[in-house]
Every structure is written in structure tokens, then in C-alpha cells.
Amino acid sequence: MDLPAQLLIWFFTFLTVIALAVAAQRLLNVRFGMVRTFLAALVAFGLAQPVLEPILGLIGPTDPETVPGPGALGLLLLVIMCVVLIPMVILVLAEALVPPGSVPGPLELVRSVRGRVSRARRYSQITRIAIRHGLGPYLRGRGERLEDHSGKMRLARSLREALEDGGVTFVKLGQVLSTRRDLLPAEFVEELGRLQDQVAPAPWERIEPVLAAELGGPVDEVFAEFDRTPLAAASIGQVHVARLHDGRSVVVKVQRPDIGVVVAKDLDIVRRLAVTLESRTRWGRSLGLRDLGEGFATAIREELDFRVEAANMAAVTASGGGSVTYPAPISALCTERVLVMRRLSGRPVTAATREQGPALARDLLDCLLRQILVEGVFHADPHPGNLMLLDDGTLGLLDFGSVGRLDAGVRSALQRFLLAMNRQDPLGVTDALLEVVPRPEDIDEAALERALGQFMARHLAGAMDSAQMFTDLFRIVSAYGLSIPPEVAAVFRALATLEGTLIRLSPGFNLIGEARAFAGRYLAEQVSPETIKESVAQELAALVPMLRRLPRRVERIASAAEHGRFSLNVRLLADDRDRAYLTGLLHQVLLTVLGATAGIMAVILLGIDGGPAALGTTSLFQLIGYNLLVISAILVLRVLALIFRRPRASDERL
């Protein structure tokens, strides 16, 4: 056979396969991936002859010299439907056994293999670190349950040492866990709180290219002066002192080279470990490690983008700091990996004298509570390393990589919670708490109210231990199945961190008493004659339009009721989604009934002996029965395809 003839045959074969793919997908009325549909049609083309031979054998021999009649047309229709039926069966079986997305496509498979290879070495390293520190049995879910204090302390120490050896991502994970008193026992919180994020600075030869690439020019052109010796260094970035050409003294925070690749790989490992531990261990499920890992990854990714920190700094600064000063960012010089901000002149806050401590602690607490309860934008990590004692004796707040945000509803509920705590009102505290956290359906509110009442009686009178107060509050929240939203967890995390800072500033500082005093001052501000008058005026202004329309509406309703014309108009299925769901359900029922009916009729016709001859030894009744049988199979396959197709947020095609 010559080449043109072969090309012509290949061309018509390709067109036939495409026609089979289009027909199968159209009849199933379900969108499949192009590769999957084409492969099904190609397999069907190869199976057409072996499948059709037994079917044609049932029809019996035909006389080729006979003029084709209606029977031949029926046979042709049967052959076409059988050929189209083959890819339909393949697609439905594939949808049931291998749904789209369960098997990665070629590109995804290549990326997956590369990712597995790149993660293997890091997995091995992390596993060796965990085993070296005695954590291997706990990773497999077989660790012993420790009830005594000394055993918990040993395990907590091993965990801290393993996290320190794991690198920057795991150190930060431990720091986050150290503030989650609602999740971890006190022994773990105390031990993980010792994790430090201090590392050796990167050499200037590696930092300079990052600055030049991000700022668009050499360092000496952008800055009038630049100190190449870092002021401080952490795992993600390091800080240098510089001076702009206009004379302003600034601080330049530079991200370490290639830290993004390392952190991204570690975050992927943390996420996978969290999913594995939650699925295989009891303690992982109780802690909700999957959600914890996702929240941690999101926070770290934001911390890697210094533009987020600059925006956070601007937002907190705009809310007003009172007696606390914030560094203002130099927006024109802030990029993803470089942050330039005004330099605050001062010393570490630990240099404050004993006489300065109480006033500084009170100012810091007042500042953070106002950020949380009034402004809704707050510094979420107020540890001593993020504070400075300025030259004028006031506080400066640094490092806005971690900032929380609260909407007006949550702020209002937290305000009511604090005010009710100040009044020692268990009912008010319970109502405010259930507005802050999602309300479970089967919660015993009376028991929760009694538990909160006992909690306040224990902690709001006499000697008060703020650390134990937070622990007991989280224990109540956990005991009644209340889940704390991430934004509210950030509030408690910030307060828990603030507690340690306040104690460092002023040993014996009465956090609870000062917070109650703040609540009293805030309540006085809220109930002043001016604020009450303003609130009443705003509410009346919103009600006036409705009040003006109310008499006419009442008159129309009363008149309709008096004359017997009062009726209630309810539109069923007014939502398009409801109509679409009901229509799809009716389509499936109708297709099922039609398929079953066609199948029953086919069986009856195939069982009838005799009848007019249509083609060879096959009667007209049998030929119609064969066609109805194939039609029934097509209709049933269409219904099965809709049943097996799982709902997805996005179409991931093979």
C-alpha cells in the first residue's frame, strides 16, 4: 500500500475516533477530560470488530445480492449504537473506578516525583532528629501516655530540642505552640517558650545581591550610609542600620537568601506530617493538627512577604499608639524581601529600671487592649524582643510580621465579655463567649454558666494568678466542645505572650486587675452622656425612613383583612439553585424509567417467536429488540455517569 493511501486511512481513522469521543461524551452529558475521552474512543475503535462479530452472528447470514431494505437500516443503526456504546462503558467504568483527580496527569506526575525526591532527604533528616531525641514512637502513634509531671517534662524537653535541630520552620512552629495553652499541657507550653530564634548573620557577600535586586540599584546609590554589620539576625532575616539621602536614620530588614525555598519545603513537610498524625494518632485528632498546620503555614508565608509586614505596620500606626511609638515604613523602599522603616532610638526594654517597670507595663497593656477591643488591628507577638525603651522613656513596638484583625462583631462580643468579667456576671460572660466562638448544637448553657461563675469566683477575688487563669479558661472552652476561631486564638495568643512580657517589665504586675480597670474606664467612655446621645441619634436616623412608611403599611394590611382580601403569597422554588437541583433529579428519574422500559420491551420482543423476517434469520421483532436493548444500555449509562460524577470545587482533568 502506497504512502498516500496509508495517510488517508490514518486520517479517516483519526476522524472516526474523534467522532466516537464526541458522540460518547454527548450521550453521557458529562464533561470528561480530553485525554481520557480520546483514549476511551481509541480503545473502542480497536475493540469494535471483536465485539461486533458475535452480535452480527446472532443476526444470521444475509444475502449480499439482496437489495437493502428497512432491516438493513436497522442493522446499521444497531452497529453504530454498539460502537458508540463501547467508549461510553469505558468512560463510566473509569469514572467509577478512577475518578478525575485521583490519578495525577503527566505534568502533575512529573512534579510529584520531583517533589518526592526533593523531600526524601529532608524527611530522612527530620526522622533521624526525632528518633535521636526519643520521639520515634510518638510519630507512629505508639508513644506511652505520660500522666506524671516529670515524664511530661522529659517529653517536652525532647520535643524542644528536636524542633531546635529541625531549623527555622520548626523553631517557629514550636514558638506558636508555646502560646497555645488551649491545646498543650502547661509543661509543653513552658518548655517550648524557651525556643529562641537567634542565628548567626549571613555574610554581606550574600546579602548585598538581595538588596541590589530588590531596590533596583547598588546599595551605595540608594542609601547615603549603610552599616554592613547587622544590628540583629534571626532565622528569616537580619537587620542593618542605614541613612537615607534626606538624612533620616532607618532600619533595613533583609530576608536571608534562598530562605523561601527552604521554608516552602519545610512547610510542605509540616502540612503532610500534620495530616498523617491527625489520621493515625488519637492525640493528633484531639488537637486538630490539620487545621493547626494550615494556619501556621499561612502565617509563615505572610511573614516571608515583607510587604505584608509593611502594610500591617501602616495599619497599626494609623490606629494610633497612645503612649507607645511605632516605626513608620518607608513605602517606596519596601519590597517582598526588603523592609525599610524609620529607626527608633533606644535600648532593649529589659534595660528598664524597677521604677519604670509598672508604668511601662500599664502603657503596654492599655495599648494592646485598645488595639484589640477598639481598633480591631493588633500586634499579635508582643514579646520582649519586639519592644524597645526609647530615649524619652516610652515604649516602642517593633516587628509587625504577625498582626491580627478583628471585625466589628467580634470586637463587640469581646468588649461585652471583658465588661461582664469586670462585673462578675456569669450570664453575660456566657452569652458573650458564645458570640465569640461557634455555638455547638448540644451545648449545656446552664452548666457552662455555672463553670464560668466558679471560674470567676476563683480568679477574680483574692490572690490572682493570670497564667493559671488563662489555663483554666482554655480548659473550660475545651471541656464544652467550643472551638476558638483563628482570629480569636490570635487574641489569646497575644495576651498570653503579653503576660510574660509584663512580668519581665514589672514582676508581680496585676494583669487581671489592670484589665478590669481598663474595662471600667472603657465602660465609662461608652456610657457618657455624649456617647449615649450620639448612639441614640444614629439609631433614630436609621429608623426614621421605616417609621414613616409603617402607618401606611399597617393601614393596607388592616384594610385587606377587613374586606377579606388578606392573603399570603409564597413562591415555591424561587431560587434558581433549587429549580436546577429538582430539574436534574427529575431528569435522572425520567432517564431511569425510560431505560428500564426500553430494557423490558427489548426482552419481550426478543422472546417472541415468529414475526415478519427483517434480515436473514432475524425477525423484525428481534431486530427492534436488539436496538431497544442497546438504547436501554445507553440511557442507564447516562444515569450512572451522573451518579458516579463527584462534585468538585474545580475540574481537575486527566
Side-chain angles (χ1 to χ4, degrees):
M1 185 180 296
D2 56 357
L3 181 61
Q6 290 182 352
L7 292 177
L8 188 62
I9 292 174
W10 281 106
F11 177 71
F12 280 108
T13 301
F14 180 75
L15 289 182
T16 304
V17 172
I18 294 297
L20 281 176
V22 173
Q25 185 163 269
R26 182 66 177 172
L27 288 173
L28 289 175
N29 196 32
V30 174
R31 184 182 177 187
F32 297 94
M34 291 187 297
V35 176
R36 178 179 293 224
T37 308
F38 182 80
L39 290 177
L42 189 61
V43 172
F45 183 82
L47 295 177
Q49 183 177 355
V51 171
L52 289 177
E53 283 182 354
I55 297 176
L56 295 176
L58 293 174
I59 302 298
T62 59
D63 186 2
E65 297 181 357
T66 305
V67 178
L73 296 177
L75 178 61
L76 179 62
L77 178 63
L78 178 62
V79 170
I80 293 175
M81 288 193 299
C82 287
V83 174
V84 176
L85 186 64
I86 299 173
M88 294 177 63
V89 172
I90 295 174
L91 287 173
V92 171
L93 289 176
E95 186 72 19
L97 300 177
V98 189
S102 60
V103 176
L107 294 178
E108 289 80 2
L109 185 61
V110 172
R111 296 193 188 103
S112 176
V113 171
R114 292 177 58 186
R116 287 177 182 272
V117 172
S118 65
R119 286 193 302 267
R121 184 177 302 175
R122 184 60 171 159
Y123 270 130
S124 177
Q125 182 182 4
I126 293 172
T127 303
R128 289 197 302 269
I129 291 173
I131 293 175
R132 185 167 66 247
H133 291 283
L135 300 178
Y138 294 93
L139 293 179
R140 295 189 296 268
R142 300 175 183 174
E144 58 178 332
R145 300 187 64 180
L146 301 175
E147 303 295 340
D148 60 305
H149 176 73
S150 60
K152 290 181 179 179
M153 287 299 299
R154 288 195 304 271
L155 180 58
R157 189 179 306 111
S158 299
L159 177 61
R160 175 182 60 80
E161 294 172 352
L163 292 175
E164 284 180 337
D165 291 347
V168 49
T169 307
F170 296 95
V171 168
K172 289 191 172 295
L173 177 61
Q175 291 174 343
V176 171
L177 291 175
S178 70
T179 63
R180 296 304 301 266
R181 298 172 184 264
D182 57 326
L183 298 181
L184 297 179
E187 294 84 357
F188 287 82
V189 171
E190 179 182 355
E191 188 67 32
L192 295 179
R194 300 176 182 176
L195 286 169
Q196 298 296 322
D197 193 19
Q198 297 293 331
V199 297
W204 172 250
E205 293 75 17
R206 299 188 62 201
I207 293 296
E208 185 177 16
V210 176
L211 283 168
E214 292 293 313
L215 299 177
V219 175
D220 293 335
E221 293 182 4
V222 179
F223 301 98
E225 298 177 13
F226 196 96
D227 188 354
R228 281 144 174 84
T229 302
L231 184 65
S235 52
I236 288 182
Q238 59 191 52
V239 176
H240 294 259
V241 177
R243 184 178 301 277
L244 298 178
H245 290 288
D246 59 8
R248 286 180 294 175
S249 181
V250 295
V251 169
V252 182
K253 183 177 179 181
V254 189
Q255 192 173 114
R256 287 177 174 268
D258 303 325
I259 191 65
V261 177
V262 176
V263 172
K265 186 183 299 184
D266 282 352
L267 286 179
D268 182 54
I269 292 175
V270 168
R271 183 182 61 83
R272 293 173 183 271
L273 285 176
V275 172
T276 301
L277 292 174
E278 182 171 336
S279 62
R280 296 183 181 180
T281 64
R282 180 175 57 253
W283 61 270
R285 286 188 294 272
S286 64
L287 294 180
L289 287 184
R290 183 195 299 264
D291 294 338
L292 187 63
E294 291 294 341
F296 170 72
T298 300
I300 294 298
R301 291 190 191 100
E302 288 187 355
E303 192 170 345
L304 286 174
D305 189 348
F306 289 171
R307 293 171 299 185
V308 175
E309 182 173 351
N312 293 339
M313 194 182 307
V316 175
T317 303
S319 65
S323 56
V324 178
T325 305
Y326 311 132
I330 311 299
S331 302
L333 298 177
C334 293
T335 67
E336 183 178 355
R337 296 192 295 168
V338 174
L339 176 63
V340 182
M341 69 196 94
R342 183 171 63 90
R343 184 185 182 187
L344 299 181
S345 179
R347 299 165 293 164
V349 73
T350 52
T353 63
R354 182 178 297 272
E355 292 74 17
Q356 292 175 302
L360 294 176
R362 194 174 299 109
D363 289 341
L364 179 60
L365 176 63
D366 186 84
C367 172
L368 192 65
L369 289 179
R370 282 195 171 274
Q371 289 179 1
I372 294 173
L373 298 174
V374 181
E375 306 298 341
V377 182
F378 61 95
H379 195 294
D381 193 19
H383 64 77
N386 288 336
L387 290 168
M388 286 185 63
L389 179 61
L390 303 182
D391 294 337
D392 60 359
T394 61
L395 285 175
L397 193 55
L398 310 174
D399 193 355
F400 291 81
S402 179
V403 169
R405 288 179 172 83
L406 301 175
D407 57 55
V410 175
R411 292 203 308 272
S412 178
L414 287 175
Q415 292 168 8
R416 289 193 294 274
F417 181 83
L418 183 58
L419 294 174
M421 288 276 287
N422 184 49
R423 298 192 305 267
Q424 300 191 39
D425 177 11
L427 180 59
V429 171
T430 303
D431 292 340
L433 180 62
L434 292 178
E435 289 185 31
V436 171
V437 303
R439 180 192 295 264
E441 296 181 358
D442 55 349
I443 187 172
D444 187 348
E445 292 191 31
L448 176 61
E449 182 181 340
R450 289 193 297 272
L452 289 173
Q454 295 172 359
F455 163 80
M456 287 185 289
R458 183 183 308 115
H459 291 285
L460 299 184
M464 295 172 288
D465 183 354
S466 56
Q468 186 62 37
M469 177 180 178
F470 278 114
T471 301
D472 290 348
L473 179 59
F474 287 133
R475 186 176 294 120
I476 293 174
V477 169
S478 176
Y480 285 87
L482 303 176
S483 59
I484 301 178
E487 63 273 15
V488 179
V491 173
F492 288 114
R493 182 166 66 245
L495 292 176
T497 306
L498 178 67
E499 173 203 3
T501 303
L502 296 176
I503 293 176
R504 290 280 299 273
L505 283 173
S506 176
F509 184 78
N510 187 355
L511 172 62
I512 301 173
E514 292 294 336
R516 294 179 65 183
F518 174 86
R521 294 195 303 271
Y522 180 76
L523 178 61
E525 294 176 4
Q526 292 293 95
V527 299
S528 64
E530 293 78 10
T531 56
I532 293 177
K533 181 179 179 180
E534 182 179 355
S535 299
V536 172
Q538 292 176 354
E539 293 295 333
L540 287 177
L543 289 174
V544 164
M546 184 182 66
L547 294 175
R548 291 180 59 185
R549 293 191 297 268
L550 185 60
R552 286 183 295 172
R553 291 181 176 179
V554 172
E555 174 63 24
R556 284 200 298 266
I557 294 173
S559 177
E562 180 181 0
H563 295 86
R565 297 191 305 269
F566 185 76
S567 61
L568 185 64
N569 185 17
V570 178
R571 295 182 57 191
L572 297 176
L573 302 176
D575 195 335
D576 292 338
R577 293 172 296 180
D578 295 338
R579 291 197 298 270
Y581 173 77
L582 185 59
T583 302
L585 190 61
L586 290 176
H587 283 173
Q588 293 189 41
V589 172
L590 182 59
L591 289 174
T592 304
V593 172
L594 290 176
T597 304
I600 294 173
M601 292 177 62
V603 172
I604 293 174
L605 290 174
L606 291 174
I608 296 177
D609 295 329
L615 196 65
T617 59
T618 303
S619 67
L620 179 62
F621 294 152
Q622 292 174 333
L623 185 60
I624 295 175
Y626 287 132
N627 280 274
L628 286 176
L629 194 61
V630 176
I631 292 173
S632 173
I634 292 175
L635 294 175
V636 171
L637 286 173
R638 180 163 177 157
V639 175
L640 290 177
L642 293 173
I643 293 174
F644 290 139
R645 171 53 57 102
R646 301 175 182 176
R648 302 173 186 85
S650 60
D651 282 329
E652 295 179 348
R653 306 298 176 194
L654 179 61

